[in-house]
Amino acid sequence: MAADREIVVYGRGLAQIGIAQSGSQGVVGYEDFADKPLSRVGELVENVPGVIATQHSGTGKANQYFLRGFNLDHGTDFAGFVDGVPINMRTHGHGQGYLDLNFLIPELVERIDYRKGPYFADVGDFSAAGTVQFRTVDSLSRPLMEATAGSYGYYRALAAGSVKAMGGDLLMAVDGTHSNGPWDLDEDLKKVNGLLKYTQGTQKHGWSIGFTGYRATWNATDQVPRRAIDEGLIDRWGNIDAALGGRTTRLGLFGNAALGNTEISAYATYYRFLLTSNFTYFLNDPVNGDEFQQRDRRGVFGGSVRHRIESQFAGLPVTFTLGGDGRWDHIGKIGLYSSVAGVTRAAIREDKVDEYSGGAYGEAAAALSGRLRLTLGLRGDVYGYDVNALTMAANSGKGSGAMLSPKAALAWRATDRLEFYANYGESFHSNDVRGAAIRNDPVTGEAVDRVPVLVKARGEELGVRLELPRFTASLVAFHLSLGSELVFVGDGGSTEPNDATHRRGVEATLFWRPVDWLALDAAGALTHARFRGVDAGEDRIPNAVSEVLSAGAAVELGHGFSGALRLRHFGAAPLIEDNSVRSHPTSLVNLGAYYTHGAVKIGLDVLNLFDARDADISYYYASRLAGEPAEGVEDRHIHPVEPRQVRLSLRYRL
């Protein structure tokens, strides 16, 4: 899966004791995921212990993420960055915090830095559950070409290389994928990614500029009602509405510079999105059906700066970090439309939006002794918006929101191999600002409540980390609470109040290399998630997964042979608040086998090795098929995991 280049010791080879602020942060490097079988690009986030990435629609759509008892939808409360560029979309046409990582080229990801919880001052919006930062390579030691073919019409081609130019490195890559999937309706995914990056200097004294391009179109088989399968109306791979799918375009410019203790980044992104969906079929409109479209066209502009100062305070060595960031989303069109057979019929809501924010933070890290470190931080964020509602002028409006977020971390290095952590922090996620400006439901015209622009999160965590030459492990216990989770519902064009929540749980990770040719790793999490302040028996959070487990083995057999075996499991979850309906657990095993000889590498990935027939995602709600009662039928709606499939790849290094 990953490109051949000069190896930098990242990931599990990079010690965290003496550096980390918490027991749940870490680095995943090139060697850690080089030969890990992937079904979809978004599964790169599963390198973060405890994170699950599923899909309930077409491959071109952002994944659905789960972490620490959160159903993060497509990214709310999970902040993602690539080369310093924030990827989550505010006030998005489909879902707040939409985190689409499909533009990544996995072979060019050098490292993944992850941090869980709201304990870090340099990140604000969407960071309550966690933050993941991808960094791409600056250069490749040798150009490469790779072709992959697999089951269900899967084809992928990649070409990448770098050259010396004007005293720096110019990296170029293009990646194309076509896939039909196992669905009765061919997915007909057509995806093209490109990366152009120029780098000069070193990490501490250097700069880079880059361009990313991404375009995808696809047909979608969304979740379907269980009864339709059981009654033989469709098979497991069938659909109710054959006109679903989408297309998306993302073009981005970015730049990063390091000037000793100062780091600067800037970015500009053009983004376009169209998605056609139908979740309830004929429940709301028995004549034309409930199919709808969501559109989004915007430019995103922003940047950040941070500066470190080494100093002394009260005789103690202290590192002060000062920083700030700004962002402007200029949304030329965002809308919700009714449609029939994929053709727009009428606008339900259409808006132009400008949303802007500025954040500033300060952090002080003091060495209280040779083994005790204290970090204190404070972040302040201010948001503003201007909503121009084109279909209902009453829903136009301007406004703002602000929030202060204190942080504190204590780390005690008990021995050179053992460290303990205690953390407290506050953070937030922003709501869709259309919900902050709204006055009337765009469908019924009835008065509705507005939502706050920012929603606070508070977290506490205790952790311990052990690092031995061939064995590392961590264990953390966490608690996280969110204020009233009032959100704008893009699927309905209105606001929906959710109650305050709290989550507590434990997470554990380990990595063990018992012998040179074998590496074992595992991560598990147990979470107790509940609504607060609700009636007894109505406190379960739908889709809040209580248990997650991942494990794997990587072997180097010599003579060019290597392999990997991966297990990914997530447990049952309530589908409604009274816990009377629950999803079923899902377990998948993937296998990879590889042979390298000189400049040639052959790979064989077997996805869903045991052909599990579990669900990738489950929901419970009312829908109506043709001929059913007008009130519809409450039912499970599932999107099955894809069946066993094989992918064969051939790589050649020039």
Side-chain angles (χ1 to χ4, degrees):
M1 180 205 74
D4 297 278
R5 56 182 180 270
E6 297 296 331
I7 299 299
V8 180
V9 179
Y10 286 138
R12 299 185 180 97
L14 182 63
Q16 295 293 302
I17 287 180
I19 302 173
Q21 288 181 222
S22 80
S24 59
Q25 72 180 100
V27 180
V28 182
Y30 165 77
E31 288 188 297
D32 297 328
F33 56 83
D35 289 330
K36 183 177 291 187
L38 286 180
S39 173
R40 297 177 286 253
V41 173
E43 292 175 8
L44 278 171
V45 299
E46 293 189 356
N47 286 293
V48 178
V51 176
I52 293 292
T54 67
Q55 184 57 270
H56 73 96
S57 185
T59 306
K61 187 179 176 183
N63 289 82
Q64 189 122 358
Y65 306 104
F66 296 84
L67 173 65
R68 289 194 163 183
F70 279 89
N71 171 10
L72 296 163
D73 194 37
H74 298 291
T76 302
D77 295 307
F78 188 46
F81 298 80
V82 176
D83 286 329
V85 180
I87 309 304
N88 301 77
M89 290 291 177
R90 303 169 176 172
T91 308
H92 187 265
H94 180 66
Q96 179 69 350
Y98 191 80
L99 178 62
D100 186 357
L101 297 172
N102 281 303
F103 71 96
L104 278 172
I105 301 175
E107 289 81 358
L108 301 184
V109 174
E110 183 174 63
R111 61 184 281 172
I112 304 170
D113 293 78
Y114 65 88
R115 300 180 296 185
K116 300 178 190 175
Y119 314 123
F120 305 91
D122 60 337
V123 287
D125 205 358
F126 306 120
S127 64
T131 303
V132 60
Q133 302 191 46
F134 295 87
R135 177 178 167 180
T136 61
V137 298
D138 294 333
S139 64
L140 299 175
S141 61
R142 299 168 66 180
L144 70 90
M145 298 180 67
E146 182 171 332
T148 305
S151 307
Y152 306 111
Y154 181 90
Y155 300 98
R156 179 175 181 248
L158 167 68
S162 60
V163 296
K164 295 291 184 180
M166 297 178 292
D169 293 295
L170 178 63
L171 174 70
M172 298 167 284
V174 62
D175 168 25
T177 302
H178 179 270
S179 177
N180 285 325
W183 319 105
D184 292 350
L185 172 69
D186 284 347
E187 184 174 39
D188 194 24
L189 170 70
K190 298 173 183 175
K191 184 177 79 162
V192 178
N193 293 351
L195 173 64
L196 187 66
K197 184 178 180 182
Y198 180 75
T199 306
Q200 270 198 10
T202 65
Q203 289 187 18
K204 291 190 176 181
H205 295 275
W207 58 273
S208 66
I209 57 174
F211 169 80
T212 59
Y214 166 59
R215 168 71 174 175
T217 63
W218 67 95
N219 300 322
T221 297
D222 286 354
Q223 70 264 22
V224 296
R226 181 78 239 188
R227 64 187 182 279
I229 299 175
D230 294 342
E231 295 170 7
L233 300 177
I234 60 173
D235 65 20
R236 188 172 178 81
W237 317 111
N239 62 82
I240 303 299
D241 187 337
L244 310 185
R247 61 178 183 263
T248 187
T249 300
R250 187 184 191 279
L251 305 175
L253 293 171
F254 65 90
N256 293 284
L259 308 170
N261 289 334
T262 303
E263 299 174 8
I264 302 171
S265 70
Y267 58 88
T269 303
Y270 170 79
Y271 177 81
R272 195 160 188 161
F273 171 89
L274 167 66
L275 184 68
T276 303
S277 305
N278 190 349
F279 302 135
T280 53
Y281 318 118
F282 293 96
L283 180 64
N284 300 316
D285 188 338
V287 177
N288 297 297
D290 299 348
E291 184 182 288
F292 62 92
Q293 294 181 329
Q294 296 160 311
R295 295 177 182 268
D296 194 308
R297 187 184 75 243
R298 73 177 67 199
V300 185
F301 310 91
S304 65
V305 61
R306 62 182 294 166
H307 180 68
R308 290 185 301 278
I309 304 170
E310 305 291 340
S311 183
Q312 294 263 335
F313 183 77
L316 299 174
V318 180
T319 299
F320 293 98
T321 302
L322 303 175
D325 54 70
R327 173 171 167 173
W328 171 35
D329 286 61
H330 178 57
I331 307 173
K333 178 185 285 188
I334 182 171
L336 176 68
Y337 310 84
S338 61
S339 61
V340 176
V343 178
T344 303
R345 189 166 62 91
I348 299 172
R349 176 163 187 175
E350 188 174 84
D351 303 85
K352 292 182 178 180
V353 179
D354 282 293
E355 182 173 359
Y356 40 90
S357 68
Y361 63 90
E363 190 175 79
L368 302 182
S369 71
R371 294 189 175 274
L372 188 64
R373 306 187 307 278
L374 173 66
T375 303
L376 299 176
L378 180 65
R379 180 182 178 91
D381 288 271
V382 177
Y383 278 59
Y385 64 87
D386 183 353
V387 176
N388 180 8
L390 303 178
T391 50
M392 185 178 288
N395 287 333
S396 297
K398 299 180 180 181
S400 62
M403 188 163 289
L404 284 176
S405 304
K407 325 275 184 176
L410 190 65
W412 174 46
R413 184 158 50 93
T415 73
D416 291 343
R417 302 294 187 183
L418 183 67
E419 189 162 76
F420 294 88
Y421 307 90
N423 300 86
Y424 172 83
E426 298 180 8
S427 188
F428 65 94
H429 72 242
S430 62
N431 275 327
D432 188 315
V433 296
R434 292 175 294 173
I438 197 170
R439 285 184 171 85
N440 302 104
D441 187 293
V443 177
T444 66
E446 297 177 354
V448 295
D449 294 329
R450 296 180 175 185
V451 303
V453 178
L454 306 178
V455 176
K456 182 175 285 292
R458 292 185 176 89
E460 305 90 28
E461 183 172 302
L462 296 174
V464 60
R465 187 191 308 270
L466 174 67
E467 292 180 349
L468 301 175
R470 288 182 174 268
F471 181 88
T472 63
S474 67
L475 177 67
V476 299
F478 65 87
H479 176 265
L480 186 63
S481 62
L482 271 74
S484 179
E485 296 183 50
L486 296 169
V487 298
F488 182 91
V489 181
D491 291 349
S494 61
T495 57
E496 177 180 290
N498 288 319
D499 297 287
T501 61
H502 71 89
R503 293 162 173 86
R504 62 177 183 270
V506 294
E507 290 179 329
T509 68
L510 68 86
F511 174 79
W512 182 32
R513 189 181 292 276
V515 291
D516 290 342
W517 55 268
L518 175 64
L520 305 173
D521 69 272
L526 297 173
T527 306
H528 177 91
R530 297 290 189 271
F531 283 119
R532 291 186 289 135
V534 299
D535 294 338
E538 298 287 337
D539 62 349
R540 298 302 181 97
I541 305 173
N543 291 109
V545 175
S546 60
E547 61 190 62
V548 172
L549 174 66
S550 63
V555 295
E556 294 285 345
L557 300 176
H559 305 288
F561 290 96
S562 62
L565 187 69
R566 304 294 310 173
L567 165 68
R568 178 254 241 175
H569 166 86
F570 58 96
L575 297 182
I576 56 178
E577 289 79 359
D578 66 6
N579 201 34
S580 61
V581 183
R582 295 177 59 84
S583 65
H584 301 296
T586 297
S587 299
L588 294 176
V589 176
N590 295 333
L591 172 69
Y594 311 97
Y595 174 69
T596 304
H597 180 73
V600 176
K601 181 175 182 179
I602 300 172
L604 179 68
D605 291 338
V606 184
L607 306 172
N608 192 3
L609 178 64
F610 299 114
D611 202 24
R613 293 175 61 83
D614 299 334
D616 221 2
I617 189 72
S618 298
Y619 304 96
Y620 188 81
Y621 57 84
S623 62
R624 181 175 183 261
L625 303 174
E628 290 186 331
E631 66 273 16
V633 177
E634 297 277 350
D635 195 9
R636 296 175 185 267
H637 294 72
I638 67 165
H639 191 264
V641 298
E642 297 188 15
R644 180 170 50 233
Q645 51 190 291
V646 177
R647 294 179 184 174
L648 181 66
S649 62
L650 175 65
R651 177 183 302 166
Y652 180 70
R653 297 176 298 162
L654 303 179

